[in-house]
Amino acid sequence: MSASPVFAGQARSMSSRGTVALEVIKHAILTGALQPGQALVETELAQQLGVSKTPVREALKTLAGAGLVTMSEYKGASVRQVDTALMESVYDLRLLLEPEALSRTVQRGTDLTPAAEALHRADEAADRADRSLANRDFHRALYAGCGNPLLVSTLDALRDQTALISAAAWVRVPTWESEAEEHRRILQAAQSGSAPEAAALLRDHMSCFVDRVKNSGGLEG
């Protein structure tokens, strides 16, 4: 069985069938090839990907745990609907935790080379899914060195939902260039050792994103 055009060019490059199912379905969700609310039928996905239903089933469970897929006992799996309420919930928690984590990262003198590399990947991204995932990696590089594994794992749990929100928002408000410039200023402050400035810039960056989306009419519809 050959892969569907939705997944063309990706399945062949992955050696693990489980990785194929997980990464390719995730990418299709973040690019909008699989639309919010769209049913995810195991048999159909397995045929499109050229794999059995088992890795697809496991991938859907993983994606549900990451907040990209919803599972219903009666309706099965579907792509998660993105709305303003979800964005506000995710960003409310991030605003409480992420600036503090970045401040601690800077104070500990963590090497921020991975953040710079993620910025470069975002600049070179081929589509909004790759850009969103690179931005996700940038933010993780800022908080991963905070020294508190529980804080890191809490923020990690929001990463895929953040990527989904970003991808949906950029359809309405394509502001990734201005966001990239904000990222550069955050990184510059962090690399200079100014923890308060870096944390403040990060807080403003996330707050401005939420405001821009809400001012554009939100994510409903």
Side-chain angles (χ1 to χ4, degrees), residues 7 11 14 16-27 45-46 49 51-60 63:
F7 310 115
M14 300 180 185
S16 164
R17 292 181 180 180
T19 302
V20 169
L22 179 60
E23 296 302 326
V24 178
I25 293 172
K26 177 191 289 187
H27 194 275
L45 290 171
L49 288 167
V51 299
S52 69
K53 290 196 300 182
T54 299
V56 171
R57 184 179 303 116
E58 293 305 312
L60 294 180
L63 292 169

Side-chain angles (χ1 to χ4, degrees), residues 36-158:
Q38 182 174 340
L40 299 172
V41 182
E42 291 179 10
T43 304
E44 293 177 359
L45 290 171
Q47 183 176 12
Q48 290 169 347
L49 288 167
V51 299
S52 69
K53 290 196 300 182
T54 299
V56 171
R57 184 179 303 116
E58 293 305 312
L60 294 180
K61 289 179 181 178
T62 300
L63 292 169
L68 298 186
V69 167
T70 57
M71 307 284 283
S72 169
E73 182 179 356
Y74 302 105
K75 296 182 179 180
S78 61
V79 179
R80 182 168 189 170
Q81 296 277 8
V82 181
D83 57 22
T84 303
L86 173 63
M87 176 186 68
E88 290 178 328
S89 295
V90 169
Y91 274 78
D92 182 44
L93 186 53
R94 290 184 67 199
L95 281 163
L96 287 171
L97 300 178
E98 201 164 324
E100 174 62 23
L102 171 57
S103 179
R104 296 184 184 189
T105 294
V106 174
Q107 291 169 11
R108 288 166 56 87
T110 302
D111 180 15
L112 293 171
T113 300
E117 292 172 345
L119 275 184
H120 179 71
R121 293 204 315 276
D123 289 339
E124 300 296 320
D127 54 42
R128 68 176 184 263
D130 287 344
R131 184 179 300 110
S132 184
L133 292 171
N135 284 349
R136 181 189 71 167
D137 290 344
F138 169 78
H139 279 270
R140 189 180 196 280
L142 297 182
Y143 66 72
C146 69
N148 184 328
L150 183 57
L151 179 54
V152 173
S153 65
T154 300
L155 288 168
D156 278 351
L158 301 174

Side-chain angles (χ1 to χ4, degrees), residues 119 122-123 131 135 138 170 175-187 205 212:
L119 275 184
D123 289 339
R131 184 179 300 110
N135 284 349
F138 169 78
W170 287 338
T175 57
W176 53 79
E177 290 185 359
S178 61
E179 290 174 37
E181 183 56 36
E182 292 168 7
H183 283 172
R184 292 185 185 96
R185 290 197 293 269
I186 294 166
L187 181 58
H205 165 66
R212 283 193 295 260

